[in-house]
């Protein structure tokens, strides 16, 4: 079975490829995580050729049209709208010139704080 994968680094880039596999989504996500992490020994060619940073917490992977955000442990399913809002927040952040990954961490920290205050 062909699985369309998109690795999204918010406001940095999107890398798309096809994985031929009958694995379930959980296994595919773990496979993508290993393939997009330097030093795993399982890095995929697309990752190596693009010389991008390793996939990390808060980055997003799309598997066959469903969005998943990398968490501290595992993955959380999110919506397309969530990802678009995240991209917008990162790209328009006043400290964006420090780097998208740095700003992504800051944006997610602020989102978590806001959620705690609202609860």
């Amino acid at each position: 079975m062909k699985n369309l994968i998109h690795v999204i680094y918010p406001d940095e880039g999107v890398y798309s490829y096809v994985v031929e596999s009958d694995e379930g989504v959980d296994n595919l996500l773990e496979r993508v995580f290993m393939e997009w992490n330097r030093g795993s020994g399982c890095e995929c060619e697309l990752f190596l050729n693009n010389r991008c940073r390793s996939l990390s917490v808060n980055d997003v992977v799309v598997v066959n049209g469903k969005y998943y955000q990398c968490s501290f442990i595992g993955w959380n399913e999110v919506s397309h709208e969530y990802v678009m809002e995240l991209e917008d927040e990162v790209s328009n952040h006043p400290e964006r010139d420090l780097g998208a990954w740095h700003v992504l961490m800051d944006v997610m920290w602020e989102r978590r704080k806001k959620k705690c205050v609202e609860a």
Side-chain angles (χ1 to χ4, degrees), residues 71-83:
S71 184
F72 293 103
I73 298 175
W75 300 84
N76 296 315
E77 188 170 349
V78 296
S79 68
H80 173 76
E81 292 77 17
Y82 174 94
V83 174

Side-chain angles (χ1 to χ4, degrees), residues 13-118:
V14 178
Y15 302 91
S16 303
Y17 62 114
V18 174
V19 171
E20 186 76 39
S21 174
D22 291 328
E23 296 175 275
V25 171
D26 290 340
N27 287 341
L28 281 171
L29 288 167
E30 292 310 312
R31 176 180 175 169
V32 171
F33 189 81
M34 289 189 318
E35 290 178 343
W36 288 80
N37 268 280
R38 197 164 313 288
S40 70
C42 300
E43 300 93 328
C44 69
E45 191 174 323
L46 185 59
F47 171 73
L48 293 172
N49 289 342
N50 282 286
R51 299 177 186 213
C52 49
R53 65 174 174 79
S54 291
L55 185 69
S56 71
V57 171
N58 300 319
D59 290 325
V60 177
V61 172
V62 184
V63 178
N64 298 324
K66 290 194 175 196
Y67 292 74
Y68 301 90
Q69 187 172 35
C70 186
S71 184
F72 293 103
I73 298 175
W75 300 84
N76 296 315
E77 188 170 349
V78 296
S79 68
H80 173 76
E81 292 77 17
Y82 174 94
V83 174
M84 294 300 100
E85 289 171 6
L86 186 60
E87 289 264 7
D88 188 55
E89 284 182 66
V90 172
S91 67
N92 292 310
H93 194 279
E95 295 180 1
R96 174 59 182 90
D97 60 329
L98 297 175
W101 184 83
H102 169 79
V103 171
L104 175 60
M105 296 302 119
D106 191 46
V107 165
M108 292 305 298
W109 178 255
E110 291 301 320
R111 283 182 170 198
R112 284 187 193 95
K113 281 189 348 189
K114 183 179 177 184
K115 197 174 191 179
C116 287
V117 170
E118 290 173 352

